[in-house]
Amino acid sequence: MSRIKWHMLAVCVAVGATLSTRVAAAVGEAEAGKLGKELTPLGAERAGNKDGSIPEWKGCPDLGAPMDKLKAGDRRWEPYAGEKPLYTVTVANAAQYADKLSEGVRALLQKYPETMKLNVYPTHRNHCAPDWVYQATARNAVNAKRVVVGDNDGVEGAVNGIPFPIPKDGAEVRWNTNLRWRGESFESKLRHFSMTSAGDRVLGTQAVQYDQFEAYRKGLSAQEYADKGYLGWMFMQFTDAPSFRAGEGVVSRDSTNYAERDRQVWQYLVGQRRVRRAPNMGWDTPDFVNSGANFFDEVFGSPYTGQERYDYKLIGKKEMLIPYNNNKVFGLKEDEIYLKDHHNPDAIRWELHRVWVLEATLKPGKRHAVSKRVFYVDEDTWGTAMFDGWDPSGKLWRVSLSLNYYLPDMPGVMSSYSDILYVLDGAWSSRNTVFYDPGYQLKAVQMKPDSVFTPDALSGRGVR
């Protein structure tokens, strides 16, 4: 064979290696058998901790929820309204709880020593799911595989449940977060705000939003789900304020397998009166939905991305103080949620929970304004409770707190739906924390056809 032919063969082999797919194996039947026994059906430790401050998980609680009122569109219910804080963490006693605080939370206490605090309440492990989700999670445990093609990855062989309930690495925890149980379909009317360093509150968006989690379409097999193109979280949002943005719309069709297809996003702009692709709604692109106050990959607790730019390392599990069961927010007005310099500490409930600690570091040769992030992922919901971000110089820069809500009609805890982001050398912002219409506070609805979440549907609705 000539030298030229040998060279061409070597090139083809190299290209083939680059394009090849690596598949990570699922766990065996014996290990998966722990689910529903020493592990909860979704993969958390069933037992409480040694001193009882984290209780045993006992399934869906019966808290006497006013289900008829919820179904009729009444204001969301606060199940723990009568409880009082067990203790309060301030800058003065933070050292006593240092092992339970993230670096970002400690930084917030230091930045606002007179007014920032954490009111810590009894821990309630009230996240749960229907039996069909538990059954699917057990199947996923032995069938799910993570597929890697170049810089992109995804999940195959999983639907209707957590893909990797017994995770072995950081990437599997990340996909559990992306595919966590959050119900099936919801509608909300909500507001986003950005706050200036001078203390002014600026409305970024007032909108009606439709969220649907296509991977939880009941009865769908893993093969049927793959045939439909691995549709994941889908949402459509229509803006009615501020006035200069009224009539705008966005529709997104996310994927659970970026090796097969990427996220698809379209935007309707009133001035252009047309729908266009919005390819840059990701990573560190400023989020126009909230006046650029945050990056797109910081919303909903992140990380709704593939592994293109970061390597994910699983540090382990530990007990942490995190925001939890924040149904009180549903009954508060904006001035009761936000103070001049930061959120109102008396509006936010904190509890002690076990979390997975996940570290994301920027890959060599990749670009992002945030060089490292540390995520704290609740073991019960698989939702991100908090994350911290560092700038390229290694300085702590961004601190995100995610609020979750107990929704008995889901059933379970809606995790990482609202977030408050602090840029330590600048302003702060809040997304999905003000639900201004009592009848649309995460209103559970029947699943819609996936054709509702398309650019054609956006074009028909996004008019002024």
Side-chain angles (χ1 to χ4, degrees), residues 60-71 73-83 124 126 324-332 349 404-413 435 437-443:
C60 283
D62 183 2
L63 302 176
M67 298 299 289
D68 290 342
K69 291 184 178 180
L70 291 174
K71 291 178 180 178
D74 200 3
R75 183 181 294 277
R76 278 286 170 189
W77 169 65
E78 158 58 304
Y80 308 115
E83 292 186 346
H124 295 282
N126 47 5
Y324 221 95
N325 286 313
N326 278 287
N327 289 45
K328 181 178 180 179
V329 165
F330 292 126
L332 299 179
R349 178 189 177 105
N404 66 33
Y405 309 105
Y406 173 63
L407 308 181
D409 47 339
M410 192 171 97
V413 173
F435 299 88
D437 185 330
Y440 280 83
Q441 296 181 329
L442 288 170
K443 178 183 177 182

Side-chain angles (χ1 to χ4, degrees), residues 1-19:
M1 186 180 292
S2 70
R3 183 173 299 178
I4 293 176
K5 290 182 178 179
W6 274 112
H7 175 73
M8 292 300 295
L9 177 61
V11 169
C12 290
V13 170
V15 170
T18 301
L19 298 178

Side-chain angles (χ1 to χ4, degrees), residues 194-210:
S194 59
M195 289 71 165
T196 69
S197 56
D200 297 321
R201 190 163 66 231
V202 180
L203 177 65
T205 291
Q206 175 177 293
V208 58
Q209 181 163 310
Y210 307 90

Side-chain angles (χ1 to χ4, degrees), residues 293-319:
N294 54 274
F295 300 140
F296 270 115
D297 69 353
E298 290 176 320
V299 303
F300 301 109
S302 201
Y304 294 96
T305 55
Q307 64 163 15
E308 176 190 341
R309 300 196 189 183
Y310 289 97
D311 289 316
Y312 293 87
K313 179 181 179 181
L314 186 57
I315 304 300
K317 189 185 286 188
K318 64 179 300 187
E319 297 177 8

Side-chain angles (χ1 to χ4, degrees), residues 252-366:
S252 174
R253 296 166 66 90
D254 208 354
S255 173
T256 61
N257 190 342
Y258 296 123
E260 291 287 335
R261 58 179 292 169
D262 204 353
R263 177 187 296 120
Q264 297 175 301
V265 184
W266 293 267
Q267 183 181 14
Y268 178 86
L269 298 175
V270 175
Q272 299 179 14
R273 293 197 174 275
R274 69 181 182 90
V275 173
R276 67 178 182 89
R277 284 294 297 269
N280 294 323
M281 285 185 66
W283 302 112
D284 53 354
T285 301
D287 180 3
F288 61 79
V289 178
N290 201 19
S291 305
N294 54 274
F295 300 140
F296 270 115
D297 69 353
E298 290 176 320
V299 303
F300 301 109
S302 201
Y304 294 96
T305 55
Q307 64 163 15
E308 176 190 341
R309 300 196 189 183
Y310 289 97
D311 289 316
Y312 293 87
K313 179 181 179 181
L314 186 57
I315 304 300
K317 189 185 286 188
K318 64 179 300 187
E319 297 177 8
M320 298 281 289
L321 292 173
I322 60 176
Y324 221 95
N325 286 313
N326 278 287
N327 289 45
K328 181 178 180 179
V329 165
F330 292 126
L332 299 179
K333 299 178 181 178
E334 293 163 19
D335 290 340
E336 296 172 309
I337 300 174
Y338 308 125
L339 301 180
K340 179 176 180 292
D341 295 322
H342 54 71
H343 69 268
N344 179 4
D346 290 324
I348 306 302
R349 178 189 177 105
W350 294 73
E351 297 181 3
L352 182 69
H353 287 261
R354 286 184 291 247
V355 300
W356 292 98
V357 183
L358 181 62
E359 182 180 87
T361 54
L362 196 61
K363 290 182 175 182
K366 296 295 183 179

